[in-house]
Amino acid sequence: MTDPIAQAAALLRKAQRIAVLTGAGVSKESGVPTFRDALDGLWSRYDPEDLATRQAFQQNPRLVWDWYEYRRQMVRQAQPNPGHHALAQIQARFPDFTLITQNVDDLHERAGSHDVIHLHGNIAQSKCFDNCRGDPTLIDLATLDYDVDDGPPRCPHCGGWVRPDVVWFGEMLAQDLLMSAYEISEKAAVMLVVGTSGLVTPAATLPKMAHRAGAKLIEVNPDTTMLSSIAHVHLAGPSGEMLPRLMEALSDNA
Ligand code: OAD
């Protein structure tokens, strides 16, 4: 039985086009909780319907704003882990490589990845709740005179609430990003699927689209998931350990 790392490296070496889909698991070793880990997942303490929906924000803007401020703090204090860095190094080796993430943190960028497609938005950005100047009406909090402990500030254009620039349950993803992600997934020769349970659509359809179009899937996850049955290779371990080993195997046969 060939070592799965060697198998994965062999697939990547032959690939012209590489796509990557990451989820919360890739940031776990940076200290950012995942969503559904039984013990310390973000949802284990809260009900997502109470926090990550338009209705929740309208009912209790302060609670939702404070929860995102808590997550922003966590991301600011976090550092990219070896898994993020390995993905940036792999990107540097392959001319046709696209990283698509469900994560709203900026750890991929801080590790050196570029042109990252953030399907679920970016927690470091804020926008007008009503997108009064177009979707999205981004607002730079640094230009506002408000106290972060006073709950969400007001939009300087329309006076409405300011909210995090992330996708909430029940909201549509940015269609241009989604169309790009579909196109990239259908053209990929290999898709790395890292740290995602594969439970949330439409992101979870991307590996299935890639597989249907003939791509080989390499899953990096300590557990099996909804996507494991279509994975050609499963690197069963934490991405912070598996991805550097994959990068090393690629370098061994430069
Ligand atoms: P989940 O919490 O659903 O899944 C995290 C996955 O990471 C699980 O399969 C874990 O086994 C795996 N994992 C845990 N530790 C890991 C490690 N060290 N290395 C690699 N994998 C590890 O998070 P997501 O799949 O990202 O949506 O959740 C998808 C979406 O659901 C999120 O983007 C969010 C949530 O609702 C929105 O915010 C719109």
Side-chain angles (χ1 to χ4, degrees):
M1 177 68 178
T2 319
D3 163 32
I5 295 272
Q7 271 186 292
L11 287 174
L12 283 172
R13 243 179 262 111
K14 282 187 294 197
Q16 288 304 313
R17 288 197 177 97
I18 296 169
V20 182
L21 174 68
T22 62
V26 79
S27 297
K28 175 90 178 284
E29 291 153 273
S30 296
V32 180
T34 64
F35 288 86
R36 295 171 183 87
D37 267 349
L39 297 179
D40 63 353
L42 275 172
W43 300 145
S44 59
R45 286 190 292 282
Y46 305 96
D47 177 348
E49 300 306 316
D50 295 338
L51 288 165
T53 63
R54 286 179 72 86
Q55 296 72 15
F57 184 83
Q58 285 170 311
Q59 277 158 19
N60 194 335
R62 175 71 188 264
L63 170 71
V64 176
W65 180 262
D66 287 352
W67 188 59
Y68 278 92
E69 264 309 303
Y70 154 66
R71 289 179 59 191
R72 273 194 188 114
Q73 278 298 339
M74 220 180 340
V75 168
R76 270 198 283 268
Q77 283 151 15
Q79 292 303 319
N81 66 60
H84 293 108
H85 288 293
L87 285 173
Q89 289 158 17
I90 293 173
Q91 178 167 31
R93 284 176 76 96
F94 291 90
D96 194 329
F97 174 109
T98 309
L99 174 51
I100 302 161
T101 188
Q102 300 170 85
N103 300 341
V104 294
D105 65 51
D106 61 348
L107 294 172
H108 283 305
E109 288 87 348
R110 284 161 58 190
S113 292
H114 53 84
D115 305 316
V116 177
I117 295 179
H118 279 268
L119 287 179
H120 294 164
N122 176 348
I123 203 167
Q125 289 183 174
S126 300
K127 65 183 181 182
C128 171
F129 184 81
D130 300 311
N131 280 324
C132 63
R133 296 271 174 101
D135 185 2
T137 299
L138 294 180
I139 290 169
D140 179 356
L141 296 180
T143 63
L144 303 181
D145 177 19
Y146 83 104
D147 182 334
V148 73
D149 295 326
D150 287 347
R154 292 291 179 165
C155 169
H157 310 301
C158 71
W161 291 118
V162 172
R163 59 164 280 186
D165 182 25
V166 298
V167 174
W168 279 335
F169 283 97
E171 289 188 316
M172 297 280 285
L173 278 64
Q175 290 306 293
D176 57 335
L177 295 183
L178 191 53
M179 291 306 123
S180 304
Y182 285 154
E183 189 182 338
I184 285 152
S185 301
E186 285 183 329
K187 289 182 177 169
V190 169
M191 178 179 269
L192 272 167
V193 182
V194 186
T196 181
S197 58
L199 289 170
V200 172
T201 56
T205 58
L206 298 176
K208 296 170 190 164
M209 290 172 79
H211 181 256
R212 258 200 313 276
K216 293 280 191 288
L217 268 50
I218 300 167
E219 182 173 35
V220 182
N221 196 316
D223 301 337
T224 52
T225 70
M226 298 288 285
L227 300 167
S228 299
S229 59
I230 58 173
H232 195 75
V233 179
H234 184 186
L235 305 184
S239 48
E241 181 194 316
M242 290 291 143
L243 289 172
R245 285 177 54 193
L246 177 56
M247 184 57 217
E248 208 177 300
L250 281 170
S251 308
D252 289 350
N253 297 267

